[in-house]
Amino acid sequence: MLVLTRKVEQSIKIGDDIEITVLGIDEDKVSIGIIAPKSMPIYRKEIYLQIQEANIQAAQSDPQRLKTWLETKHN
């Protein structure tokens, strides 16, 4: 893991397209701003992990059950 120290309004560049800026520090919370291409999804880690778990569960689900669910939602 790379560890960098930044002050408020200082930034970090990742490649040519991503910039992360420290916007504020309040007790134990840090506010950051991220500039990145719209095509790049950005999630908080806990949300990302939930999405990954949902994808795993969806991949393991019964295809017939999914087909039935889709049919009931679109009729």
Side-chain angles (χ1 to χ4, degrees), residues 4-12 19-25 29-34:
L4 301 171
T5 302
R6 300 279 70 203
K7 296 179 182 179
V8 174
E9 297 186 14
Q10 291 183 332
S11 298
I12 297 167
E19 182 174 344
I20 301 171
T21 303
V22 177
L23 301 177
I25 303 169
K29 294 183 181 179
V30 176
S31 297
I32 60 172
I34 302 170

Side-chain angles (χ1 to χ4, degrees), residues 36-49:
K38 289 185 184 263
S39 61
M40 177 171 289
I42 300 171
Y43 304 103
R44 297 187 328 250
K45 184 175 181 178
E46 62 273 17
I47 301 299
Y48 177 80
L49 294 174

Side-chain angles (χ1 to χ4, degrees), residues 51-66:
I51 292 168
Q52 292 300 311
E53 181 61 30
N55 288 340
I56 290 168
Q57 290 179 8
Q60 295 173 346
S61 67
D62 177 14
Q64 183 58 42
R65 183 174 166 222
L66 178 59

